[in-house]
Amino acid sequence: MDMEGTAWTSLYTAMHAHQEQRPFSRATLRRIGLFARPHRRRLAHFVLLSVITAVLVVATPVLGVSVRAVSPGTRD
């Protein structure tokens, strides 16, 4: 079996495994919080820029439709 086939087989096996799905414990969430604490400012900037980018991605086609509705003489 080639390397790509092995990778796809491993991915399929991992995705369809019947493992017990446990929710995060408070201790795990606390460890994640303690790890992320020094990076709060960068994480906040990342989330803010992600939200702004998502809004712009959605707004671009909406603005295009509204401009075409206002100026019917233009062509695509």
Side-chain angles (χ1 to χ4, degrees), residues 59-76:
T60 302
V62 172
L63 289 174
V65 169
S66 62
V67 167
R68 277 188 228 105
V70 173
S71 55
T74 60
R75 293 177 142 176
D76 286 334

Side-chain angles (χ1 to χ4, degrees), residues 12-21:
Y12 180 83
T13 303
M15 296 297 293
H16 291 90
H18 296 289
Q19 296 177 355
E20 180 183 338
Q21 300 258 337

Side-chain angles (χ1 to χ4, degrees), residues 16-45:
H16 291 90
H18 296 289
Q19 296 177 355
E20 180 183 338
Q21 300 258 337
R22 294 178 289 163
F24 286 112
S25 67
R26 284 186 177 259
T28 302
L29 292 176
R30 182 182 161 117
R31 278 197 333 255
I32 293 170
L34 289 174
F35 172 78
R37 182 168 287 167
H39 310 288
R40 282 183 297 201
R41 185 172 300 217
R42 283 187 177 172
L43 288 170
H45 286 149

